[in-house]
Amino acid sequence: MIYHSIRFALKPEVTPEEKAAVVAKMHELFAAIPAVRTRIVGADFGGKYELGTVLVIEDIEGYAEYLNHPAHLELDRVGLPLVREFVSSDITDDPDPEIGAKIAEVHRSRFENVPDIADLISGLAEYTGSAAPGKHGN
């Protein structure tokens, strides 16, 4: 299993209505992705981030399906313009010693093949995650 976690802080000018709309959109669109086995979306406590989600995905094939699913791309295009800082991480019990490299490759390929998403990520004040594009590269 792969537990994909994102945490983010919104830009100061984001209104409460926009924040509520993006949370509702996260619920709606993550529910539309078959590879997502279960999920939680909500307030993030214990750090500098406001919102977060943890998604449970069965395997690397499902992970690729999730990241490239039209609903996820829609969410990125709607939500990322409201985000100031973003962190993405993965925890897995997959015994494959290459799983970390495979996760990074899914991200790298996505950023290469969907340049508008890579541009949105590159435009964030702070981004931490696998195969981060642009100025956030790691």
Side-chain angles (χ1 to χ4, degrees), residues 69-92:
H69 193 281
H72 187 265
L73 298 175
E74 178 184 345
L75 181 58
D76 280 348
R77 291 177 177 122
V78 170
L80 285 172
L82 305 178
V83 172
R84 182 181 77 242
E85 298 178 28
F86 185 103
V87 62
S88 164
S89 65
D90 299 289
I91 299 172
T92 183

Side-chain angles (χ1 to χ4, degrees), residues 2 59-60 92-105:
I2 300 171
D59 54 27
I60 193 66
T92 183
D93 60 358
D94 189 313
D96 180 351
E98 299 297 318
I99 191 67
K102 290 176 181 179
I103 288 170
E105 177 56 24

Side-chain angles (χ1 to χ4, degrees), residues 15-30:
T15 67
E17 295 78 19
E18 289 171 316
K19 180 178 177 179
V22 80
V23 169
K25 191 59 98 171
M26 289 171 74
H27 281 286
E28 172 193 340
L29 294 176
F30 287 147

